[in-house]
């Protein structure tokens, strides 16, 4: 409904808070430990284990001095990443947090509408929502679950609202997926 607010998605003891501005996800908090910025950078090879330890030690020193620094700030301070690289990593982290919400077969969610997002929320730009959904389904939903969902709607006769080529570009689909879309003509 293009609302601004917070969408909380919870399952298996994990809660992800998604901040939406006019219906578009711009930030997220929480999620699993796998989705923390440091772990993501390690997993992707953008940060070495020894450097990660240096970052954590620096953050601990700051905390003991009653100062708090975010991981990204320390990465820049120690010249391990540039500010621009940290920003791109935070966008990638947001993408991972959002698509990970598709991994649960049984999740609960609540939405709290807000007039505007809190000032401390740093907003990021992401690909179109359709790409997020597609990445979430591809990455976290077993094919048999998708097949069961589609089978239950087998009598439907889908028709595309946009030309297949426009959807291919918007969703960044490969050639076989485009051929599938071209057959969705309502028949």
């Amino acid at each position: 409904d293009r609302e601004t607010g917070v969408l909380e998605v919870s399952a298996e003891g994990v809660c992800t808070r998604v901040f939406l501005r006019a219906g578009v996800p711009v930030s997220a908090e929480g999620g699993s430990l796998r989705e923390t910025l440091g772990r993501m950078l390690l997993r992707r090879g953008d940060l070495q284990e020894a450097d990660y330890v240096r970052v954590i030690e620096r953050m601990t020193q700051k905390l003991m001095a009653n100062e708090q620094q975010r991981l990204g700030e320390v990465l820049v301070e120690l010249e391990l990443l540039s500010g621009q690289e940290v920003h791109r990593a935070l966008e990638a982290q947001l993408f991972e947090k959002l698509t990970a919400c598709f991994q649960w077969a049984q999740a609960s969610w609540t939405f709290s509408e807000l007039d505007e997002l809190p000032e401390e929320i740093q907003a990021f730009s992401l690909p179109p929502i359709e790409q997020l959904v597609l990445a979430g389904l591809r990455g976290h939903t077993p094919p048999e679950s998708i097949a069961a969902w589609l089978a239950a709607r087998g009598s439907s006769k889908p028709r595309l609202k946009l030309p297949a080529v426009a959807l291919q570009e918007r969703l960044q689909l490969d050639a076989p997926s485009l051929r599938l879309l071209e057959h969705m003509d309502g028949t």
Side-chain angles (χ1 to χ4, degrees):
D1 290 335
R2 300 179 193 227
E3 298 289 338
T4 295
V6 182
L7 174 67
E8 288 191 16
V9 182
S10 301
E12 300 177 15
V14 176
C15 180
T16 303
R17 298 180 73 218
V18 180
F19 295 89
L20 303 165
R21 180 178 291 134
V24 177
V26 295
S27 189
E29 293 176 347
S32 72
L33 287 176
R34 175 179 167 72
E35 297 158 7
T36 63
L37 182 61
R39 290 179 194 258
M40 183 194 80
L41 291 170
L42 285 169
R43 193 173 55 252
R44 293 170 45 165
D46 295 334
L47 187 63
Q48 299 304 311
E49 186 74 36
D51 290 329
Y52 182 64
V53 170
R54 284 179 47 213
V55 170
I56 297 303
E57 287 173 350
R58 178 70 175 143
M59 291 175 71
T60 303
Q61 291 169 354
K62 289 281 193 173
L63 191 59
M64 290 175 69
N66 277 340
E67 299 176 38
Q68 194 167 2
Q69 256 187 323
R70 293 180 159 248
L71 188 122
E73 294 168 336
V74 176
L75 288 166
V76 172
E77 179 184 306
L78 296 177
E79 298 181 355
L80 296 170
L81 294 177
S82 69
Q84 190 175 32
E85 289 169 321
V86 168
H87 185 82
R88 281 195 303 269
L90 288 168
E91 285 180 335
Q93 180 194 30
L94 174 58
F95 190 87
E96 279 192 19
K97 282 180 184 266
L98 295 173
T99 57
C101 291
F102 286 82
Q103 68 185 312
W104 299 302
Q106 299 294 318
S108 63
W109 60 271
T110 58
F111 180 75
S112 302
E113 189 176 342
L114 299 172
D115 291 331
E116 57 186 59
L117 295 179
E119 287 182 26
E120 66 270 11
I121 297 298
Q122 183 178 5
F124 295 95
S125 298
L126 291 175
I129 193 78
E130 296 89 349
Q131 283 185 25
L132 289 170
V133 171
L134 186 58
L137 290 172
R138 281 184 173 157
H140 299 288
T141 307
E144 56 274 8
S145 294
I146 294 172
W149 186 87
L150 290 171
R153 289 149 184 85
S155 63
S156 299
K157 296 181 179 177
R159 181 186 327 255
L160 301 177
K161 291 184 176 184
L162 297 172
V165 174
L167 289 171
Q168 178 191 29
E169 183 179 312
R170 186 168 177 95
L171 297 172
Q172 298 180 340
L173 299 174
D174 57 15
S177 297
L178 173 62
R179 285 193 294 279
L180 175 67
L181 285 181
E182 290 172 337
H183 292 291
M184 292 187 170
D185 60 3
T187 59

